[in-house]
Amino acid sequence: MADGPERISVAGIDALLYLPNPSRELLERSLRVPALSPGWKTSFKARLEQNMEQNSSQSGNPGLAASTGPPPAWQGFRTMRVARLEREAASVVSLYLEEPDGAPLPAGLPRQFLVLRLRTRPDGPMLLRNYSMSGMPGATNYRVSVKREMNGAVSSYLHDHVQAGDVLEVSAPRGGFTLGYGDAPVVFLSAGIGATPLLAMLHSLSSAASRREVLWIYGARNRAEHPFAKDSRGLLQTLVNSRSRIVYSKPNSNSNSNDKLGADYDSAGHVDKPLLDRLGVTREADFYLCGPPSFLRDLTAGLKTWGADSKRIHQEVFGAEAPFTPGIARASRPPTHAPAGEPGTGPQISFIRSGLTVPWDSRFSSLLELAEACDVPVKWACRTGVCHTCECSMIGGTVSYEPDPLEPPAAGNVLICCSRPSGDVEVDL
C-alpha cells in the first residue's frame, strides 16, 4: 500500500529472522522500522548482537529461540565417579562427581544442570533425572545436591545406596538459567531445594570478587530443613555489598532443636512481596527465583504487580515447564502417561523433566506428536521447523528431520516438531 521507513519488504524482514547469515546492515535498518512490534525488534537485536560477536560460541538463531547456554561439552552420557557425599540437611545430600582418571572437567556455568542415568535395581528400567549443579564454577569436580522426594525412586536410591567410589552415567552440563552480566543489584529469592542453582551463582560472584549489591533471601521450614546455611553465609561474607534474610515458616522451639532468632533465621513467615518492601529492595534489581511451583507462581506475579521489570525476573522451574500451544484453550493437564493403545516397538524415548520413558511408535510423525500423546507439556507454534518455538535440549541420541527445518537448532538442541528418533533419545521435556 505504501513504502515505509527503511523500505524493507515483508519477505526481507522474514528472511532476517528465519534465514542464516543475516546482513548486519539490514539488521540495523530493521531496528529503525517503527511498524515492527517490540517482540520482532527484540529478536533482531539478539541476531545483531550475535552477528557482532565474532568469536561467539553460540550456535543456532537467538532471534528464534532463547539461549540455552553454550554447546554441551559432550553428547549423551559418560561414566563419572562419586568422589564423596556430604549431608546438607535432613533431606538433602550433595554428590561430588569426578572423572575416573582424575582428568579435569569442562567448566559448567552457574547455574546449569546435569542428568544422571541409572538403574535402582539390576533388572529395573533405566531412570533419568536432572539435578542442578551447586558447586563453584571451574572446580575440579561437579557437585549436585539432591532432595529426597516422597516416593522418589532415584532420589531415595542416591540417598540410601550410592557411596563414594561408585560410578554413575552423567550428561554434560546443560541449561540457560545462568547469571547475567552487569552492575545492577542482584536479588536471589529461593525456598527449599530451590537454593541449589542460586548457590552456584553466589559461588560465581564470590570467585569474581564482585562488587555488585547482592541480597540473599531464603525461606525454609526450620533449621533441620535449611541446606547450605554455612555455605551461603560464608560466600556472602566474601562479598563487599551483600546482605541476607532467612525466613522460617515453622521454626522449632523445643529443647532438642531450638531454632535461634538472629542466629539461624531472621524472621518467621514466608518470602513474599511485603518482605521486599520491609527490606527496601530496589525495583531496578535483577531477580533470580527458584523454588516450589506455588512459590514461583505467587512471587513472580507479586514482583510484577510490585513494579519489577518482567525482563529482570528470571526463574528456574524444577520439573516440566508450562506448555505453549497457540489457539488451543488451556485445560487441566493430566499426569504424563504412556500413549493409548499397544506400546510401540521402536527405540526408547525419555522425557527427562516429566520422568517418563516410552518406546517410539511409528504411528506418530514426530517427537512432538508422541509427547502430546503422553500429555508431556510442550511448546509449539508452526509445527514445520520454521519458528523454533519447540526447540529444547537433546541430552542424548540422534534424530532425523522431515521436513528439514528452515534453520537447524543450536548445537545440542532438537526441534521436536519435525524430528523422528534414529535410536534411543533423551530430551529435556
Side-chain angles (χ1 to χ4, degrees), residues 5 17 99 102 104 135 184 220 368:
L17 182 61
E99 290 279 25
L368 171 60

Side-chain angles (χ1 to χ4, degrees), residues 47-354:
R47 295 221 76 177
L48 181 62
E49 289 173 351
Q50 185 188 46
N51 185 291
M52 294 171 67
E53 293 176 5
Q54 299 297 323
N55 298 318
S56 174
S57 61
Q58 183 182 29
S59 59
N61 183 343
L64 295 177
S67 172
T68 55
W74 67 86
Q75 290 293 324
F77 296 82
R78 66 166 61 170
T79 299
M80 299 184 71
R81 181 175 58 211
V82 179
R84 69 181 192 274
L85 297 92
E86 285 186 1
R87 180 67 55 183
E88 307 288 357
S91 60
V92 178
V93 65
S94 288
L95 284 70
Y96 291 79
L97 304 167
E98 64 182 9
E99 290 279 25
D101 60 0
L105 288 165
L109 296 175
R111 166 276 170 206
Q112 291 189 299
F113 65 85
L114 304 177
V115 178
L116 307 185
R117 183 170 69 176
L118 54 88
R119 285 186 170 90
T120 58
R121 62 179 193 275
D123 60 344
M126 190 69 77
L127 302 176
L128 301 100
R129 297 291 188 274
N130 57 324
Y131 296 108
S132 295
M133 300 173 69
S134 57
M136 181 175 65
T140 57
N141 51 47
Y142 293 154
R143 181 173 84 163
V144 294
S145 300
V146 180
K147 179 184 178 183
R148 184 195 292 271
E149 301 290 350
M150 184 177 297
N151 301 320
V154 174
S155 64
S156 296
Y157 180 83
L158 294 172
H159 273 255
D160 297 336
H161 299 287
V162 171
Q163 300 177 359
D166 289 349
V167 294
L168 298 171
E169 292 185 78
V170 184
S171 77
R174 300 278 189 144
F177 178 67
T178 56
L179 180 65
Y181 297 101
D183 299 321
V186 179
V187 179
F188 294 122
L189 297 152
S190 62
I193 194 61
T196 309
L198 306 189
L199 186 69
M201 295 183 183
L202 200 58
H203 270 292
S204 177
L205 291 169
S206 175
S207 63
S210 174
R211 302 189 66 85
R212 295 175 73 172
E213 292 181 35
V214 176
L215 176 55
W216 178 267
I217 303 176
Y218 176 76
R221 186 182 297 270
N222 50 50
R223 182 177 60 182
E225 299 183 32
H226 181 180
F228 318 118
K230 183 178 179 180
D231 278 6
S232 58
R233 290 189 185 108
L235 291 169
L236 288 166
Q237 288 174 1
T238 68
L239 297 169
V240 295
N241 293 314
S242 70
R243 55 186 176 130
S244 71
R245 186 77 170 191
I246 306 302
V247 181
Y248 285 176
S249 60
K250 294 183 178 179
N252 284 324
S253 58
N254 60 61
S255 57
N256 293 327
S257 178
N258 185 22
D259 295 341
K260 298 179 180 178
L261 182 65
D264 298 316
Y265 69 106
D266 300 304
S267 62
H270 298 276
V271 177
D272 51 21
K273 185 174 64 173
L275 177 63
L276 301 181
D277 286 324
R278 292 197 297 272
L279 295 176
V281 177
T282 174
R283 290 165 173 77
E284 303 305 313
D286 289 324
F287 298 89
Y288 293 87
L289 287 66
C290 191
S294 59
F295 172 88
L296 290 177
R297 181 184 63 250
D298 295 344
L299 198 52
T300 300
L303 283 170
K304 291 178 180 178
T305 59
W306 179 68
D309 186 345
S310 59
K311 294 180 181 178
R312 290 183 174 272
I313 303 172
H314 315 279
Q315 61 175 281
E316 171 69 337
V317 178
F318 289 147
E321 297 182 340
F324 177 77
T325 53
I328 296 179
R330 181 171 296 181
S332 59
R333 190 175 72 238
T336 56
H337 55 83
E342 292 294 321
T345 58
Q348 296 294 306
I349 311 300
S350 296
F351 300 107
I352 292 173
R353 285 183 180 265
S354 299

